[in-house]
Amino acid sequence: MTPSGRLNPSPRTLDVESVAHFDRLVSAGAGTMHGWHAQSLDLRGRSRELKALDAQGAIFLGCTFDAGVEDSLRSRGALIFPKLRGVPFNPYRGSLYTAAELYEDIAGHEYEATPDARIYQWSILPGQRTSLDATLAAALHDHAIGGALEDALANGDFAGTRLVGVMGGHAAWRGTSEYADAARLGRLLARSGFTVATGGGPGAMEAANCGAYLSGLPDGDFTAALGTLAAAQGFRPSVTDWARTAAAVVGKYPGGTASLGIPTWFYGHEPPNLFATHIAKYFANSVREAILLELCTGGIVFLPGSAGTVQEIFQDACENYYGAPETITPMVLVGREHWQERYPAWPMLQALAAGKPMAGRIHLVDTVEEALAVLS
C-alpha cells in the first residue's frame, strides 16, 4: 500500500499529469491510451488525437472534452467518470489545498461564505452521509487527496524530508503558555530540519504549524507575531476574526517554512488553521487519522490534550505494539503531571510497551526542548 492507502499502481498505468503531458505522449508516437489515467484535464481541442488513439483501458476522471468525444471514447472502451453536479468541490482535484483556497476572500466576507464552510455545510445536509451521490463524491475526493499527498511526499515540497507529528488539544488558545509551547516546538523542529505535520486544526495544531511557518524569523519578530494572534484567542465566538488575524500574520510574513496539516470536515466545527502551507483535508476522519500517524516516520510528539489526544496516543501505540522493529517510531509525551496524573496515559503506555521492541521508543518529558532532544 502507498502512504495514501492506495494500491501501488500497475507498471502499465500512466498518470497523465497535464494537457502538456498528454501532448508530449501523442508527439512521441503513442498509439494507445491503455492504462492512461487523466484527472481534471481540459482536453478540448484534442478531439482528433483522442479519436485516433486506441481508447481501450483508459480512465478519465472529471475531464472536459469537445462535443461528441466523450461518447466516442466510451464506445471504444474508455472509462469516464463524469463531473458531479451540485457538489461544492472538485472530487477529482490533483493537488492539496492551501489556506488561501479554503479561506478565499476571508478579508471581505464572513467565514460562512468561504469554500471551507460551504463544503462542510454540504457534508451535513440531511441524509447527505447516506446519499449515494454524496458518498461517491466524498470518496473520490479523499482518494484524490491521497494521491496528491503521495505526490507531495514523493516528488513535491516534502520529498526527502522527515515528518514529525505534533498532536495536542484544540483548546490551547492563543496567548496561553500551552499555545506558546506548541509554537516553540514547531519552530524548534523546523529549525532542526524536520517537517511538522499536524491534524491541521486550531489550538496546539495551529500553534505547531505557526511555529514552523515562522521559524525563519528572529526571536523578537516571532514573539511579536504570537502577540498579534492573541488578539483573537480562539475560533469561538468568531471563526472570521480568528482567521483574519492569522491571515494578517501570514500576509506580513509570506513564504514561510512549509508544513503539513491533515484536517477533516468530519469535525467541521473545528476550522483548519492558516499556517499549514499544504492541507490534505479529508471527509473520512478515520482515513485522515491513519494517514497522519503513518506518515510521521520521524516520530510523534503528544502535547497535553484530552480525549482526542488520548485516542491518538493509543492508536499510535497499537501500530508500534504490533509493528516490526524497523517500523516503530518514537512517541514523546510532553507533561509529566498531565500524562501521569490528570490523564494517566503514560502508565498504560509503559505497561503495553514492557518487553516489546517499542519499549525503548516511548518517552515522557516535561519540556518541548526535551522532546526535540529525544527526536534528534
Side-chain angles (χ1 to χ4, degrees), residues 222-264:
F222 178 69
T223 301
L226 295 185
T228 299
L229 289 173
Q233 282 194 306
F235 62 94
R236 295 189 180 101
S238 173
V239 177
T240 302
D241 292 343
W242 176 84
R244 285 176 179 170
T245 305
V249 172
V250 171
K252 184 175 181 179
Y253 302 107
T257 300
S259 70
L260 178 64
I262 309 184
T264 174

Side-chain angles (χ1 to χ4, degrees), residues 103 111-112 114-124 129 201-202 235-236 239 242 263-273 281-283 285 288:
Y103 285 97
Y111 168 71
E112 289 73 15
T114 65
D116 184 68
R118 293 201 307 271
I119 295 170
Y120 175 58
Q121 289 302 319
W122 171 87
S123 75
I124 61 172
R129 286 179 175 163
F235 62 94
R236 295 189 180 101
V239 177
W242 176 84
T264 174
W265 277 292
F266 185 81
Y267 295 133
H269 60 285
E270 292 185 9
N273 77 71
K281 189 156 190 178
Y282 288 85
F283 287 99
N285 183 54
R288 162 252 193 176

Side-chain angles (χ1 to χ4, degrees), residues 4 7 9 52 55 58-59 85-86 95-96 141 144 153 163 167 174 203 207 216-217 241 260 270 290 300 341 354 369:
S4 66
L7 292 173
I59 299 177
R85 307 301 175 188
S95 62
L96 298 178
H141 169 275
L153 293 167
L163 267 67
M167 311 292 185
R174 298 166 177 172
L217 294 183
D241 292 343
L260 178 64
E270 292 185 9
I300 297 180
E341 303 296 333
E369 287 79 10

Side-chain angles (χ1 to χ4, degrees), residues 145-335:
I145 288 295
L149 180 55
E150 182 180 316
D151 291 341
L153 293 167
N155 308 303
D157 292 340
F158 299 133
T161 65
R162 291 184 67 201
L163 267 67
V164 170
V166 178
M167 311 292 185
H170 67 266
W173 281 21
R174 298 166 177 172
T176 64
S177 59
E178 292 82 6
Y179 189 96
D181 284 345
R184 195 166 73 254
L185 174 62
R187 178 175 172 85
L188 290 169
L189 289 169
R191 286 189 160 192
S192 297
F194 294 107
T195 294
V196 171
T198 78
M205 295 173 282
E206 180 195 54
N209 286 127
C210 174
Y213 182 85
L214 300 175
S215 60
L217 294 183
D219 290 346
D221 290 344
F222 178 69
T223 301
L226 295 185
T228 299
L229 289 173
Q233 282 194 306
F235 62 94
R236 295 189 180 101
S238 173
V239 177
T240 302
D241 292 343
W242 176 84
R244 285 176 179 170
T245 305
V249 172
V250 171
K252 184 175 181 179
Y253 302 107
T257 300
S259 70
L260 178 64
I262 309 184
T264 174
W265 277 292
F266 185 81
Y267 295 133
H269 60 285
E270 292 185 9
N273 77 71
L274 286 81
F275 292 103
T277 57
H278 298 66
I279 300 175
K281 189 156 190 178
Y282 288 85
F283 287 99
N285 183 54
S286 58
V287 173
R288 162 252 193 176
E289 288 183 338
I291 287 173
L292 180 55
L293 292 173
E294 182 179 347
L295 294 182
C296 296
T297 56
I300 297 180
V301 180
F302 297 93
L303 297 171
S306 55
T309 310
V310 171
Q311 175 186 333
E312 289 160 348
I313 288 173
F314 288 105
Q315 189 171 346
D316 193 24
C318 186
E319 294 190 8
N320 283 335
Y321 184 89
Y322 289 110
E326 62 272 16
T327 67
I328 296 171
T329 55
M331 299 177 64
V332 187
L333 279 61
V334 179

